[in-house]
Amino acid sequence: MAKRIGILTAGGDAPGLNAAIRGFGKAAIQQHGWQLIGFRDGMRGLAENRFTELDASALSGILTTGGTMLGTSRDKVHRMVVDGEVRDMVPTIVENYEKDRLDALVCLGGGGTAKNARRLMDAGLSVIHLPKTIDNDIVHTDSSFGFATALEIATEAVDRLHSTAHSHHRIILAEIMGHRAGWLALGAGIAGGADVILLPEIPYDVDAIAQRIERRRSHGSTFSVVAVAEGALSGPDRQEIDHAEALVKDASTPQAKAAAKRGVKRLEASHRANTFTLAEQLEERTGLEARVTILGYVQRGGTPNAADRLLGTRLGVAGAEAIAEGRHGVMVADRGHGTELVPLKQVAGKVKYVPEDHEWIRAARAVGTALGD
């Protein structure tokens, strides 16, 4: 009998999701003769068994469209809110998997989806993960679909902010997505010629930034553009959060650990307004007007570029090949000019941070870009 495969998209939307659905789906149907169903709204649709049959006509015309034709959600399979209560839905998902006569489940998503996929794998399901995130923070893959398009959008924004900053002799801070890892802000900052780039991986010193802006002014530049990753923190703020995270590790009971985690989240939320605080601090120190532009969701919306269409298609096709070979419990990674299957246990719960000695960091410093330290 032909295999019956389920597919879903989870986490935040990103350009290239539909390209990956199409790439996997067309290979599954045309090359292997499998049946394909798509679960609505991510893991929640899987738990509620809401799906649609996907055939060649359903996959037609979606390559160039943004978002996801299947919808998405950020639900955790082991802690899903159902009728006002938090429930472990893994047993229900296993029942649905068997009821729908699935041979494999393909999950498109980022770090949270990798953890959900790992939990379903541990429950006995045959799972394949395709890496999607504009943050490019998934380990063991060179890139993830969504990143290239977001990088173009953020770079164009930095480009455009230069003219306003120059015309009004201002400091303009562009807040770019990247809560845990600064790949997007770093790439857009370099490509857009930002004068300062601030990353979550490198705690910044406000005085050091102000000194760099003053040095530019002494050389005749009466404006500066600062690319700020949304997770960038000053040195004192980073120390405060590091201390809170240490309390999570040292917690002796589940209750204490949960309370400590809530404390970390509160601190992180309170520091999210740091871009506006930083703008005020730089105004005080330099005497220049400072303005903040938050790019927000525009970075992950709209039509995917050619690179993300190509990557999504490649990873989707490679996912179908993996299932045909009987492989599961893996992420399909982009590696060099090809793909590689990486065990989910090596991916789930891990983050690909920007190394301080990375080539992009060295390049930024070499061309005179300040990194706030």
Side-chain angles (χ1 to χ4, degrees), residues 212-240:
R212 176 55 66 96
I213 291 171
E214 288 288 9
R215 193 179 311 153
R216 281 177 49 77
R217 183 157 58 174
S218 70
H219 292 156
S221 296
T222 59
F223 73 96
S224 290
V225 175
V226 184
V228 186
E230 62 183 347
L233 294 167
S234 68
D237 287 345
R238 178 73 268 172
Q239 291 175 358
E240 190 178 2

Side-chain angles (χ1 to χ4, degrees), residues 16 48 134 234 259 280 315 346:
E48 296 173 352
I134 70 167
S234 68
E280 293 173 0
L315 295 185
Q346 296 180 18

Side-chain angles (χ1 to χ4, degrees), residues 96-309:
N96 290 340
Y97 182 96
E98 294 172 349
K99 183 191 306 180
D100 297 333
R101 297 174 286 106
L102 296 181
D103 294 285
L105 175 68
V106 181
C107 302
L108 284 62
T113 303
K115 289 191 283 188
N116 276 329
R118 170 71 188 275
R119 293 185 181 102
L120 297 180
M121 178 191 76
D122 291 342
L125 304 191
S126 296
V127 182
I128 295 283
H129 175 227
L130 303 186
K132 170 275 315 173
T133 173
I134 70 167
D135 294 332
N136 195 35
D137 62 353
I138 302 175
V139 297
H140 301 305
T141 183
D142 292 347
S143 190
S144 51
F145 48 90
F147 176 67
T149 304
L151 183 58
E152 282 193 6
I153 294 168
T155 298
E156 183 180 358
V158 174
D159 285 347
R160 290 175 177 274
L161 290 171
H162 270 89
S163 60
T164 293
H166 179 269
S167 298
H168 292 274
H169 313 300
R170 286 174 176 164
I171 303 167
I172 297 227
L173 298 91
E175 185 178 289
I176 297 170
M177 282 186 169
H179 179 57
R180 300 179 298 177
W183 295 103
L184 190 56
L186 178 59
I190 294 172
D195 305 298
V196 181
I197 302 173
L198 304 181
L199 310 176
E201 294 85 350
I202 303 177
Y204 64 79
D205 182 310
V206 178
D207 291 324
I209 300 169
Q211 288 168 13
R212 176 55 66 96
I213 291 171
E214 288 288 9
R215 193 179 311 153
R216 281 177 49 77
R217 183 157 58 174
S218 70
H219 292 156
S221 296
T222 59
F223 73 96
S224 290
V225 175
V226 184
V228 186
E230 62 183 347
L233 294 167
S234 68
D237 287 345
R238 178 73 268 172
Q239 291 175 358
E240 190 178 2
I241 290 178
D242 285 346
H243 175 70
E245 289 176 342
L247 295 178
V248 175
K249 295 179 181 178
D250 295 340
S252 57
T253 66
Q255 293 80 5
K257 191 167 191 173
K261 284 183 177 179
R262 289 194 294 271
V264 171
K265 288 183 178 180
R266 283 195 296 271
L267 279 175
E268 289 177 339
S270 69
H271 293 320
R272 287 294 289 276
N274 264 5
T275 307
F276 291 98
T277 302
L278 176 59
E280 293 173 0
Q281 293 169 333
L282 292 177
E283 277 193 346
E284 292 171 0
R285 285 164 171 78
T286 66
L288 294 171
E289 284 187 298
R291 295 290 185 270
V292 174
T293 295
I294 298 177
L295 304 188
Y297 294 116
V298 70
Q299 294 164 93
R300 70 186 201 201
T303 302
N305 67 7
D308 276 331
R309 296 181 203 182

Side-chain angles (χ1 to χ4, degrees), residues 7-55:
I7 189 168
L8 60 82
T9 57
D13 65 293
L17 275 168
N18 285 329
I21 294 170
R22 175 183 176 273
F24 177 87
K26 282 186 172 286
I29 295 168
Q30 296 176 7
Q31 278 199 313
H32 303 290
W34 300 338
Q35 296 177 339
L36 184 65
I37 65 172
F39 288 95
R40 299 287 189 185
D41 304 326
M43 297 295 171
R44 179 163 292 273
L46 181 60
E48 296 173 352
N49 209 25
R50 292 185 287 110
F51 64 83
T52 182
E53 299 282 345
L54 297 178
D55 56 17

